[in-house]
Amino acid sequence: MNANHEDELQTLREALQHRLDQLLPAGEQQDLVYSAMREGTLASGKRVRPLLLVLAARDLGCDIEQPGLLDLACAVEMVHAASLMLDDMPCMDNAQLRRGRPTIHRQYGENVTILAAVALLSRAFGVVAEAQSLSPACKAEAVAELSTAVGLQGLVQGQYLDLNESGEARSAETILLTNELKTSRLFDATLQMAAIVANASPQARQRLRCFAQDLGQAFQLMDDLADGLNGTGKDINKDSGKATLVAMLGADAVHQRLHDHLRSADEHLSCACDRGASTRRFMHAWFDKQMALFSQNRISSLPEC
Amino acid sequence: MNANHEDELQTLREALQHRLDQLLPAGEQQDLVYSAMREGTLASGKRVRPLLLVLAARDLGCDIEQPGLLDLACAVEMVHAASLMLDDMPCMDNAQLRRGRPTIHRQYGENVTILAAVALLSRAFGVVAEAQSLSPACKAEAVAELSTAVGLQGLVQGQYLDLNESGEARSAETILLTNELKTSRLFDATLQMAAIVANASPQARQRLRCFAQDLGQAFQLMDDLADGLNGTGKDINKDSGKATLVAMLGADAVHQRLHDHLRSADEHLSCACDRGASTRRFMHAWFDKQMALFSQNRISSLPEC
């Protein structure tokens, strides 16, 4: 990863942070729900999804300065933040730590957490519907993509499968489906939104769907490999007693699968975006960094996806 | 209320039920989240919001047969259903009964309830974005209206104020603001969606906003008056120990306020919709029916709004 690439990512992250700050509403008063929304969204995160959206749009020929692009990227990050807040709840994963801090419900209580997540989700759809300088047709299509990624064919179903398969024997097939629903579907919506803004061809959009599929599986495998290690900013050994591919196949086989998914992702991406390689460079830099941390057994700075 | 009007409402209710059934997704499998979504949405309800949307659109000159109208009406009902499911949760109002049945979390558990509500909310936005025979501009504007009604300037903030003011002294002003956020804002989005489809003038839309304001306050006053009575299908004396306008001013004064809001609502509606009076007739029939039930002290069939 060269310095220019890292500088550019940092500039983009700052632009995202600034725009997220602007887009989070003030409400009738600055109360606990308002604070929980901000804490859940603005606290440090690697912004993988919004960065992917912007970089993929550029690779597809879009002007990166188009303000609507940043708005869509912020909407995806709001959805991601809301899903983490709810997944951490006592009646879900009962997590204590997230990004190195107490989870939102531990800071603000369960009712405020639910309300903040609902407000974030509905704000995300509103941000897409009012995104700057995008045509109404783009906005409507982007709302539909986001809706599919969140609902019963996406994050919701993934979390339900994850909850109900915990601690039980489950097949590799079920694990792959859960990973797809929990992770690939929101990557898919993210990349489809980039394609919508860039007015990409149906062929490119289909390739991006396949890319999202591989990328989501790779991310989830990386997450499973990281479980049990300190310094992830999350609870450790959260998957203990739960059937994961690591428990089922061993770490080496999972590393191999991860490698295969990344190679396949690479091929799909090359076919979808022939104008550049910002997305590919970003993805490889991210995974290379994680791999290096694993191999050096220096996990203390492993970032959250 | 004449028989034709009641027949027409019944026909509309059946059309809504049929379309809601079609629009609720099947998911990867028909699991508990799927069942909770259906139970929370399809179980008996009076469908006040979706009926209002369709009737107001007709009064504004719209063809009632336009399929997009029914889709928007279903989206509003999904949002309403999701908000009731979450409001009833143990960490919120801890309600045991809704529409005469055990609340959703008592039937399906807290985690499934949260997931079903999130899936319903995101489905609602998707239904608007994909509504039949509506222009992309209409869809984007309708998504923005719905987003505002749900978020920190609407239902979420109303529920937060309601939770945090419970059992404490609160001013009449705070109660009115809570009622507005909890009830008027979704009525507002409902009527604005009708106006968007009907391509109503800015003047008419402003009048409809005032109408929604009065209607929401009137509904909430009726709800407060009904508290403590059997047969509402909800927990009784839920507001016991909580400052309401009934406790503060007495039932007679609240009846008077309700009457004043309805008269004001009437005026705003007449100015907004000069082509007909379906909405007015529906509203008056509904409130007359409730009033009659109060005065006869026969509350056993008091419908849920």
Side-chain angles (χ1 to χ4, degrees), chain B residues 15-298:
Chain B
L16 283 164
Q17 193 75 5
H18 179 67
R19 188 67 184 142
L20 276 172
D21 184 45
Q22 288 179 327
L23 290 171
L24 289 170
E28 300 294 329
Q29 57 200 51
Q30 296 190 2
D31 55 26
L32 286 182
V33 181
Y34 167 90
S35 302
M37 284 173 80
R38 296 183 73 81
E39 163 84 16
T41 315
L42 296 175
S44 70
K46 285 293 166 185
R47 313 289 183 220
V48 169
R49 290 155 193 80
L51 287 174
L52 258 182
L53 194 152
V54 175
L55 296 173
R58 178 163 68 185
D59 284 346
L60 289 160
C62 222
D63 178 3
I64 204 169
E65 300 295 329
Q66 180 171 344
L69 215 48
L70 211 55
D71 288 352
L72 297 190
C74 289
V76 169
E77 190 67 4
M78 288 180 194
V79 165
H80 178 58
S83 78
L84 296 182
M85 287 159 66
L86 293 177
D87 287 357
D88 288 341
M89 289 270 292
C91 66
M92 303 274 191
D93 301 342
N94 195 21
Q96 306 297 305
L97 285 177
R98 168 73 67 181
R99 293 168 173 167
R101 304 167 71 135
T103 42
I104 299 295
H105 63 87
R106 285 183 64 212
Q107 292 185 57
Y108 296 94
E110 293 179 42
N111 48 20
V112 170
T113 302
I114 293 174
L115 292 173
V118 166
L120 273 175
L121 272 173
S122 69
R123 180 68 181 140
F125 287 106
V127 166
V128 175
E130 299 182 300
Q132 302 168 81
S133 68
L134 285 191
S135 73
C138 280
K139 292 172 183 175
E141 210 183 337
V143 167
E145 286 288 345
L146 201 56
S147 165
T148 304
V150 176
L152 199 55
Q153 267 121 32
L155 295 176
V156 161
Q157 182 80 356
Q159 177 64 8
Y160 177 74
L161 285 181
D162 207 30
L163 281 174
N164 284 277
E165 302 289 338
S166 297
E168 288 173 24
R170 56 178 182 172
S171 65
E173 201 182 325
T174 308
I175 296 174
L176 292 175
L177 174 61
T178 306
N179 292 352
E180 184 193 328
L181 293 162
K182 280 195 75 134
T183 312
S184 297
R185 294 283 166 96
L186 189 55
F187 279 135
D188 187 20
T190 301
L191 292 156
Q192 292 303 314
M193 285 203 251
I196 289 165
V197 178
N199 197 22
S201 70
Q203 293 75 19
R205 290 182 65 166
Q206 188 50 43
R207 282 293 189 167
L208 287 173
R209 291 207 190 275
C210 298
F211 170 68
Q213 181 81 359
D214 279 315
L215 188 64
Q217 294 292 347
F219 258 87
Q220 203 62 48
L221 292 175
M222 183 63 89
D223 201 51
D224 288 352
L225 285 167
D227 188 61
L229 298 169
N230 276 314
T232 61
K234 298 196 275 192
D235 298 359
I236 64 168
N237 284 317
K238 209 51 207 168
D239 294 341
S240 173
K242 183 168 153 183
T244 66
L245 287 180
V246 176
M248 206 175 281
L249 309 171
D252 285 349
V254 168
H255 271 290
Q256 183 58 48
R257 277 192 180 224
L258 203 163
H259 180 76
D260 293 347
H261 278 299
L262 288 179
R263 197 175 52 195
S264 171
D266 227 22
E267 283 172 25
H268 291 303
L269 192 62
S270 298
C271 293
C273 313
D274 56 2
R275 295 203 200 189
S278 304
T279 315
R280 205 157 64 239
R281 185 166 51 182
F282 170 65
M283 176 181 79
H284 281 287
W286 198 91
F287 279 96
D288 286 350
K289 196 170 170 187
Q290 311 308 305
M291 295 293 193
L293 290 167
F294 276 129
S295 62
Q296 293 163 29
N297 203 19
R298 290 193 296 104

Side-chain angles (χ1 to χ4, degrees), chain A residues 225 245-247 249-260 291:
Chain A
L225 286 167
L245 288 179
V246 176
L249 308 171
D252 285 350
V254 168
H255 271 289
Q256 182 58 46
R257 278 192 179 224
L258 204 162
H259 180 75
D260 293 346
M291 294 293 194

Side-chain angles (χ1 to χ4, degrees), chain A residues 203-265:
Chain A
Q203 291 75 19
R205 290 182 64 166
Q206 188 50 42
R207 282 292 189 167
L208 288 172
R209 291 207 190 275
C210 299
F211 170 67
Q213 181 80 1
D214 278 315
L215 188 63
Q217 294 292 348
F219 258 86
Q220 203 62 48
L221 292 175
M222 182 63 89
D223 202 51
D224 288 352
L225 286 167
D227 188 60
L229 298 169
N230 275 315
T232 61
K234 299 195 275 192
D235 298 359
I236 63 167
N237 285 318
K238 219 35 214 174
D239 294 341
S240 174
K242 185 168 150 183
T244 66
L245 288 179
V246 176
M248 206 175 282
L249 308 171
D252 285 350
V254 168
H255 271 289
Q256 182 58 46
R257 278 192 179 224
L258 204 162
H259 180 75
D260 293 346
H261 278 300
L262 288 179
R263 197 176 51 196
S264 171

Side-chain angles (χ1 to χ4, degrees), chain A residues 6-153:
Chain A
E6 194 46 57
D7 285 351
E8 187 191 50
L9 290 184
Q10 191 52 33
T11 304
L12 267 176
R13 278 194 196 97
E14 283 163 15
L16 283 163
Q17 192 76 2
H18 179 67
R19 188 67 185 143
L20 276 171
D21 184 45
Q22 288 179 327
L23 290 171
L24 289 170
E28 300 293 329
Q29 58 199 49
Q30 296 189 1
D31 55 26
L32 286 183
V33 181
Y34 167 90
S35 303
M37 285 173 79
R38 295 182 75 81
E39 163 84 15
T41 315
L42 296 174
S44 71
K46 286 291 164 186
R47 312 289 183 222
V48 169
R49 290 153 194 82
L51 287 174
L52 257 182
L53 194 152
V54 176
L55 296 173
R58 178 164 66 186
D59 284 346
L60 289 160
C62 222
D63 178 5
I64 204 168
E65 299 295 329
Q66 178 170 345
L69 215 48
L70 210 55
D71 288 352
L72 297 190
C74 289
V76 169
E77 190 67 2
M78 288 180 194
V79 165
H80 178 58
S83 78
L84 296 182
M85 287 159 68
L86 293 177
D87 288 356
D88 287 343
M89 290 270 292
C91 65
M92 303 271 192
D93 301 342
N94 195 22
Q96 306 298 305
L97 285 178
R98 167 75 65 181
R99 293 169 174 167
R101 304 167 70 135
T103 43
I104 299 295
H105 63 88
R106 285 183 64 213
Q107 293 185 58
Y108 296 93
E110 293 180 42
N111 47 20
V112 170
T113 303
I114 292 174
L115 291 173
V118 166
L120 273 175
L121 272 173
S122 68
R123 181 67 181 141
F125 287 106
V127 165
V128 175
E130 298 182 300
Q132 303 167 81
S133 68
L134 285 191
S135 72
C138 280
K139 293 172 183 176
E141 209 183 340
V143 168
E145 285 289 345
L146 201 55
S147 165
T148 303
V150 176
L152 199 54
Q153 267 121 32

